[in-house]
Amino acid sequence: MKSLYIILILAALLLLAGCDSGVEYWIRNDTSHLAWVRMEDSPEIELGPGEAHTFKFSTAREHIFNSNVTREVELWAQGETYQMVYKEDSELRPTDSSEFTMEAGERRTGYLTPNRACFKVVNNSDKTVRRAELRKHKDGEEYFEANLGSIAPGESSYRRVPYATANNNFYYTARITFEDDTELVYGDSNNILSVDEMFLITLNPPSE
């Protein structure tokens, strides 16, 4: 009888101890360019093309008297050619964060699949860029698309932009204006961006 009591006590302790706690979220950058992710209050992680990272968070431990333990987590993610979206009123709307519930012991995976093109300017010159303006050209018309604004020497800036398709064909040009009003124009009718492609302009110091 005493042995039976010991077995029951041990079984109860095992039930109380439980086995599931903590959550993990593994995420990989499947774009051809840089991406940045973070969860909760974790530091921001930069992911190069093909790189992955696992976030780990603690939860209460599940046991017989505390089952179905969950944790609300927030994922923040953006990339040079990736933008998170959510559905509202049958339309996809852009966002940079998403909240969801994970169960204790759950291991979830995520992939940053390219869904945008990118306009990026790297200012390696010794002059400040006042405007970095992107223009879209379609059916003989020109449209303003984006302005990266001021870019100091040694800095860079980018903007995610629409990409061309067979049913929506267009090309991009860019006009770079420095603080001294010097202007440079880049791009032509061959500058057609597909998904995951970048219109990259690198400004270098004038050669001596």
Side-chain angles (χ1 to χ4, degrees):
M1 194 66 153
K2 185 176 181 180
S3 297
L4 179 60
Y5 286 144
I6 294 174
I7 292 172
L8 290 174
I9 290 172
L10 290 174
L13 289 173
L14 287 173
L15 288 172
L16 288 172
C19 59
D20 287 332
S21 67
V23 295
E24 291 186 9
Y25 193 91
W26 177 91
I27 189 166
R28 186 176 71 195
N29 177 15
D30 281 349
T31 78
S32 301
H33 305 280
L34 294 176
W36 299 267
V37 295
R38 71 171 182 263
M39 291 190 77
E40 301 293 296
D41 297 326
S42 70
E44 182 179 288
I45 305 297
E46 181 178 281
L47 297 178
E51 292 183 342
H53 182 78
T54 299
F55 293 96
K56 298 180 180 181
F57 301 99
S58 63
T59 65
R61 185 176 293 276
E62 287 189 333
H63 52 73
I64 191 172
F65 300 118
N66 188 28
S67 60
N68 299 320
V69 174
T70 61
R71 173 167 177 162
E72 296 290 329
V73 295
E74 181 177 16
L75 170 67
W76 180 92
Q78 69 173 24
E80 291 177 328
T81 57
Y82 168 81
Q83 185 164 36
M84 195 184 299
V85 294
Y86 68 97
K87 196 169 186 178
E88 183 178 78
D89 299 329
S90 300
E91 293 185 8
L92 293 178
R93 302 182 184 277
T95 182
D96 284 329
S97 65
S98 177
E99 294 183 356
F100 48 90
T101 302
M102 295 183 68
E103 297 181 357
E106 183 178 358
R107 309 293 182 262
R108 193 176 294 192
T109 59
Y111 302 87
L112 304 183
T113 303
N115 58 3
R116 301 282 277 169
C118 181
F119 171 49
K120 183 175 182 177
V121 175
V122 179
N123 187 8
N124 290 334
S125 76
D126 55 0
K127 297 189 296 184
T128 296
V129 172
R130 188 172 74 235
R131 289 178 62 85
E133 191 173 287
L134 182 68
R135 292 275 176 171
K136 178 191 292 185
H137 300 259
K138 181 178 180 179
D139 299 330
E141 300 290 334
E142 180 178 297
Y143 306 90
F144 171 83
E145 180 63 39
N147 176 27
L148 301 183
S150 178
I151 308 173
E155 294 185 354
S156 65
S157 184
Y158 76 93
R159 183 74 54 86
R160 293 164 293 194
V161 296
Y163 58 89
T165 66
N167 296 323
N168 185 24
N169 194 31
F170 56 86
Y171 68 92
Y172 285 119
T173 61
R175 183 179 299 273
I176 307 299
T177 306
F178 294 94
E179 283 191 326
D180 62 2
D181 291 329
T182 301
E183 290 188 343
L184 298 174
V185 177
Y186 296 83
D188 54 31
S189 58
N190 295 314
N191 191 35
I192 301 171
L193 297 183
S194 299
V195 64
D196 202 28
E197 290 187 338
M198 178 181 290
F199 182 9
L200 174 63
I201 298 174
T202 301
L203 304 172
N204 294 312
S207 57
E208 297 181 357

